[in-house]
């Protein structure tokens, strides 16, 4: 297995240390911006919020670690070009025929319980297919639910308990988290995770739990001591630049 996410590991500590006002200092030329579309299936009969976020987190990672993203694969150039820059994701909602249409584009669909998400191969935003570009970004919020404790032996993606996020924004953030976690894992752990289909649990901790897990000024120490990696948002939508939105915790 080739970990195409390895470049993220090299950038992680320096990114987390940046001043907040520099976290969105990325390529602004619209013709060069790349993003991964994450399509959330939201029918009239709404899916459970937590299950949908778990499906999105797995789908985003599965695209990156799919055999087609390997050096000889058909997705490799697109995936690596995206990872080399800012790992931007755009969540969109779809139902009915629009959801079925999204299945025709290269990507991976994951279903958790009653919820499905499809992550598409990333590409230039200016080249987003019309069928995907017409899907709405707004209106993707869902009621909070209570999924209970995370199952043992599954990585946990902890949502910041002090920062409200729409389901669409949270889906992008947990997708970032699963990718960063995979980037930092060694080969045996990554292979072990692959046997579960990259399953993860999304949960919201108490403020006390969040503060205990948070890397603070020592991201390397947090990874070594408690195997936690943080997602720090660039602040393009919904929240302030530099906000830590998710803490991903590896649990063997």
């Amino acid at each position: 297995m080739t970990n195409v996410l390895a470049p993220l590991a090299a950038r992680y500590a320096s990114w987390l240390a940046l001043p907040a006002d520099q976290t969105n200092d990325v390529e602004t030329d619209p013709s060069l911006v790349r993003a991964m579309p994450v399509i959330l299936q939201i029918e009239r009969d709404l899916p459970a919020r937590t299950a949908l976020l778990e499906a999105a987190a797995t789908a985003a990672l599965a695209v990156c670690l799919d055999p087609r993203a390997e050096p000889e694969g058909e997705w490799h150039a697109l995936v690596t070009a995206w990872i080399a820059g800012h790992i931007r994701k755009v969540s969109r909602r779809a139902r009915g025929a629009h959801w079925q249409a999204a299945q025709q584009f290269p990507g991976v669909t994951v279903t958790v319980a009653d919820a499905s998400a499809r992550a598409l191969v990333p590409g230039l935003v200016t080249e987003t297919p019309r069928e995907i570009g017409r899907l709405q970004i707004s209106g993707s919020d869902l009621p909070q639910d209570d999924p209970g404790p995370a199952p043992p032996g599954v990585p946990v993606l902890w949502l910041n308990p002090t920062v409200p996020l729409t389901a669409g924004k949270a889906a992008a953030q947990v997708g970032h988290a699963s990718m960063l976690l995979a980037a930092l894992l060694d080969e045996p752990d990554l292979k072990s995770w692959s046997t579960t289909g990259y399953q993860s649990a999304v949960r919201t901790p108490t403020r006390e739990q969040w503060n205990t897990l948070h890397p603070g000024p020592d991201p390397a120490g947090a990874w070594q001591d408690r195997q936690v990696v943080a997602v720090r948002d660039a602040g393009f939508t919904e929240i302030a630049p530099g906000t830590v939105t998710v803490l991903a915790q590896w649990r063997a």
Side-chain angles (χ1 to χ4, degrees):
M1 176 185 295
T2 301
N3 190 350
V4 300
L5 298 170
L8 292 182
R11 302 204 306 264
Y12 170 62
S14 60
W15 171 257
L16 202 59
L18 282 175
D21 61 359
Q22 293 182 26
T23 56
N24 60 0
D25 184 20
V26 296
E27 180 58 64
T28 56
D29 184 341
S31 69
L32 300 178
V33 174
R34 295 177 180 271
M36 170 185 280
V38 179
I39 316 302
L40 309 176
Q41 185 182 18
I42 302 181
E43 304 285 349
R44 295 186 187 279
D45 186 7
L46 298 177
R49 178 186 172 98
T50 296
L52 187 63
L53 297 182
E54 291 174 350
T58 297
L61 179 57
V63 167
C64 299
L65 299 183
D66 189 280
R68 289 166 288 186
E70 297 278 345
E72 302 302 321
E74 61 201 86
W75 297 353
H76 182 72
L78 290 170
V79 172
T80 55
W82 174 61
I83 289 171
H86 186 73
I87 55 170
R88 187 176 299 180
K89 297 182 179 70
V90 178
S91 297
R92 299 178 183 271
R93 60 186 175 94
R95 69 184 185 202
H98 288 169
W99 169 253
Q100 294 303 321
Q103 307 307 304
Q104 307 308 311
F105 295 93
V108 176
T109 295
V110 172
T111 299
V112 175
D114 65 343
S116 295
R118 183 171 181 82
L120 302 185
V121 175
L124 292 169
V125 172
T126 55
E127 297 178 358
T128 301
R130 182 179 59 84
E131 294 89 344
I132 302 302
R134 71 185 179 187
L135 299 177
Q136 292 187 2
I137 298 174
S138 62
S140 61
D141 207 9
L142 294 169
Q144 296 288 342
D145 58 354
D146 183 7
V154 173
V156 182
L157 311 180
W158 299 102
L159 298 171
N160 190 329
T162 69
V163 179
L165 300 174
T166 64
K169 180 69 172 181
Q173 299 301 296
V174 296
H176 297 341
S178 63
M179 288 174 57
L180 282 171
L181 188 60
L184 291 175
L185 290 177
D186 58 26
E187 185 174 354
D189 282 340
L190 192 57
K191 285 186 176 179
S192 174
W193 197 10
S194 73
T195 64
T196 71
Y198 304 111
Q199 176 187 2
S200 61
V202 174
R203 296 294 186 272
T204 301
T206 65
R207 293 193 181 199
E208 291 75 16
Q209 288 174 315
W210 177 266
N211 292 335
T212 298
L213 290 168
H214 199 292
D218 186 18
W223 178 250
Q224 293 170 1
D225 296 341
R226 50 194 183 275
Q227 294 195 287
V228 169
V229 60
V231 175
R232 195 175 189 217
D233 192 63
F236 292 113
T237 60
E238 292 193 27
I239 57 178
T243 302
V244 174
T245 54
V246 185
L247 301 177
Q249 183 180 28
W250 174 250
R251 302 191 306 171

